[in-house]
Amino acid sequence: KSHAMTGWRVGFAAGPAEIIEAMGILQAQSSTHITSFVQTAAIEALDKIASPKRVELLTPKLAGDDAQVRAAAVRSMLRMHQPVAAQALVVMLKDDRPDHRCSALWIVDQLKLVALAPRVVEMAESDEDPRIARISHHVSRRLAKLALPSAAPTSVASRPEVEGVPA
C-alpha cells in the first residue's frame, strides 16, 4: 500500500521454515502467476525500500522468460553491484529473442554502461532484426557522447555497475 500497489496481490512472507516451504510448494502448484508489469513494479519497489532479501528474490529472475521482468531484475542487481547481474546482462545482449536484446539495450542505455559500447556497436552493425540494429545504433551514439573526456568527470572503469562486464 505504501507504494500505491494496492490490489496488485504481490508480496513475500516470513515465518518458520516448514511453513514457508509448504507455502512455496502450494504457490508452485498454482496455475496463475503475477503479470509481468506487476512483477516489474514490485522489483522497483524492492529497490526503493532497499529490502535485504533483494538478491535472493531477484536471482531467479535473471534467466526468466519475460524480458521486462528479467531486465528489471538485472538492472536492480547491477545497482547492488552484483557481478552475476553483469554476466546476465551480457547473456541478454546475445539472447536469441529480440525483446530480450532490446531490454538489455535499455539497461545499457539507462545505466550508461560505456564498457559495453563495443558490443552495442557490433549489434548495430550486425543484428538480424532491423529494430534491434536501429536501437543499438541510437544507444551506441549516446554511449559515444558519454565516452568523450569532457562529458564525464569520473572514469567509467571505476564505476561499480560495470565491474565484471567485459569490454
Side-chain angles (χ1 to χ4, degrees), residues 21 24 50 57 65 67 76 121 130 152:
E21 190 174 309
L57 294 169
D65 288 330
S76 178
V121 168

Side-chain angles (χ1 to χ4, degrees), residues 9-88:
R9 307 288 187 249
V10 66
F12 58 93
E18 61 274 359
I19 292 175
I20 299 300
E21 190 174 309
M23 290 171 65
I25 291 169
L26 178 65
Q27 190 275 334
Q29 301 300 319
S30 175
S31 62
T32 63
H33 65 14
I34 301 172
T35 184
S36 61
F37 80 88
V38 174
Q39 290 182 60
T40 303
I43 290 169
E44 295 297 323
L46 285 171
D47 258 358
K48 293 201 185 312
I49 63 173
S51 169
K53 293 278 219 173
R54 286 183 293 175
V55 173
E56 182 182 332
L57 294 169
L58 297 178
T59 299
K61 305 287 185 193
L62 296 179
D65 288 330
D66 187 285
Q68 290 178 335
V69 173
R70 186 178 181 192
V74 168
R75 186 174 81 156
S76 178
M77 289 184 69
L78 283 171
R79 289 177 175 162
M80 291 184 283
H81 315 297
Q82 296 293 316
V84 68
Q87 296 163 352

Side-chain angles (χ1 to χ4, degrees), residues 47-156:
D47 258 358
K48 293 201 185 312
I49 63 173
S51 169
K53 293 278 219 173
R54 286 183 293 175
V55 173
E56 182 182 332
L57 294 169
L58 297 178
T59 299
K61 305 287 185 193
L62 296 179
D65 288 330
D66 187 285
Q68 290 178 335
V69 173
R70 186 178 181 192
V74 168
R75 186 174 81 156
S76 178
M77 289 184 69
L78 283 171
R79 289 177 175 162
M80 291 184 283
H81 315 297
Q82 296 293 316
V84 68
Q87 296 163 352
L89 178 57
V90 170
V91 170
M92 276 184 84
L93 286 167
K94 297 176 182 177
D95 199 292
D96 291 338
R97 299 165 289 189
D99 56 330
H100 288 255
R101 294 195 307 278
C102 184
S103 292
L105 287 166
W106 174 78
I107 295 167
V108 170
D109 197 26
Q110 289 290 305
L111 298 181
K112 299 171 177 42
L113 301 177
V114 177
L116 289 170
R119 173 67 184 135
V120 175
V121 168
E122 179 184 326
M123 291 172 72
E125 295 171 351
S126 64
D127 199 284
E128 62 210 30
D129 186 316
R131 180 180 65 114
I132 300 301
R134 181 177 42 80
I135 293 168
S136 299
H137 175 73
H138 290 297
V139 172
S140 67
R141 285 180 43 204
R142 286 191 287 275
L143 292 175
K145 287 179 184 177
L146 292 171
L148 297 174
S150 63
T154 52
S155 167
V156 175

